[in-house]
Amino acid sequence: MKTLKFLFDRNQGWADAIKKDNPHFFSQLSAQQTPDYLWIGCSDSRVPANQIVDLPPGEVFVHRNIANVVVHTDLNCLSVVQFAVEVLKVKHIIICGHYGCGGIKASLDQKAHGLIDNWLRHIQDVSRFHQKELSLLNDEDRINRLCELNVIEQVKNVGNSSVVQNAWKRDAELSLHGWIYSIENGMLKDLDMCIETAEALDKKCRL
Ligand SMILES: [Zn+2]
C-alpha cells in the first residue's frame, strides 16, 4: 500500500490526460530539455511557476526559495543559474516575487522566527537600502512595496553574478526580468527590470 495513495492516483490521472492529448509527450520530453526560461520564485505554494505562465513540463527551469532571494554565497541558487545559463542556455532569467509574501512580512515584524531569521537578513538589507521610501508608507503598502523592491534588488544580484556577467561578455543572448504576482487575482505585473546587457544593468543599479 502506497502512502499518500491519493497523490499517486492524481498522478496517474494527470499523466493519462496528457498522453490522451499527445501520446508521445513524455517520450519526447525524456529525450532532452530545452527550456528558454529560468524562473527564480518564492517557495509559497500559491505561486507555482509553470501554472502561472501556463507552460507545460519542459519549458521552465525552476529555482524557488523563501522570498525569491539571490545571494552571492548561495551555492544552490548559483549552481542553478550556472546550469541554466551555461548548459541549458536559457534566454531569460525571471525573478518573480508576489504581493503579501510571508518572508517579506516576517522580515519587517521585529519578531524572532528561528533559523529563518538568518535568511531574512537579506531582505532586511533590501529594507535598509530603501528605508526612506518605505518609512513613508502604511504597514500594508510597506510590505507590498518591499515585495517589489526585493524583486528589483534580486534582479541586480543575479545580473551581477559571475555567471551572468560572463554570459554577457561572450555576447550570449540573455535577458533578466523582474515580475511580481498577485495571489488575489492571479495576474503578473512587470516591474520594468528587463535588462539585456551589463551596461544596462549598471545604469539600473545607479538609478
Ligand atoms: Zn513568498
Side-chain angles (χ1 to χ4, degrees):
M1 179 74 178
K2 288 184 180 108
T3 55
L4 298 177
K5 183 177 177 302
F6 71 103
L7 291 182
F8 284 84
D9 292 343
R10 292 183 68 91
N11 167 247
Q12 182 77 58
W14 171 77
D16 288 348
I18 288 181
K19 282 184 280 191
K20 197 174 163 196
D21 203 35
N22 175 2
H24 306 294
F25 181 83
F26 291 107
S27 55
Q28 285 165 347
L29 199 59
S30 66
Q32 61 171 342
Q33 63 164 338
T34 54
D36 281 339
Y37 311 100
L38 165 60
W39 173 285
I40 300 177
C42 183
S43 299
D44 193 303
S45 64
R46 300 163 296 179
V47 192
N50 284 66
Q51 278 163 287
I52 286 175
V53 285
D54 195 22
L55 286 175
E59 303 287 333
V60 192
F61 199 65
V62 175
H63 178 77
R64 291 168 67 181
N65 60 39
I66 289 172
N68 41 271
V69 176
V70 177
V71 183
H72 289 125
T73 50
D74 177 3
L75 284 181
N76 182 354
C77 180
L78 293 181
S79 301
V80 169
V81 174
Q82 184 189 7
F83 188 78
V85 170
E86 295 181 5
V87 179
L88 297 175
K89 303 198 184 305
V90 298
K91 294 185 174 64
H92 305 274
I93 300 178
I94 298 158
I95 307 279
C96 185
H98 66 100
Y99 291 119
C101 179
I104 301 284
K105 277 185 200 165
S107 79
L108 286 169
D109 71 10
Q110 315 286 340
K111 292 180 194 154
H113 310 89
L115 177 70
I116 195 177
D117 287 331
N118 298 286
W119 185 251
L120 299 178
R121 293 294 324 171
H122 298 298
I123 302 160
Q124 287 163 346
D125 289 342
V126 177
S127 300
R128 208 174 58 248
F129 300 156
H130 299 277
Q131 201 172 13
K132 201 172 161 191
E133 178 186 350
L134 292 168
S135 68
L136 300 172
L137 303 173
N138 65 39
D139 287 354
E140 194 185 342
D141 290 347
R142 185 179 305 116
I143 290 166
N144 285 334
R145 181 59 182 149
L146 184 54
C147 291
E148 294 181 346
L149 291 169
N150 181 52
V151 169
I152 290 166
E153 292 300 327
Q154 305 315 323
V155 171
K156 294 175 191 171
N157 282 350
V158 79
N160 281 314
S161 69
S162 57
V163 176
V164 171
Q165 289 286 321
N166 289 337
W168 281 333
K169 269 183 204 151
R170 60 174 186 273
D171 289 328
E173 186 188 339
L174 181 64
S175 310
L176 311 181
H177 309 266
W179 298 352
I180 192 149
Y181 175 73
S182 171
I183 291 171
E184 287 181 5
N185 64 17
M187 300 305 292
L188 284 169
K189 180 174 147 190
D190 192 338
L191 293 175
D192 190 27
M193 286 298 287
C194 183
I195 295 168
E196 294 172 311
T197 61
E199 294 70 34
L201 177 68
D202 277 349
K203 210 169 154 189
K204 286 276 187 194
C205 288
R206 279 199 301 271
L207 279 176

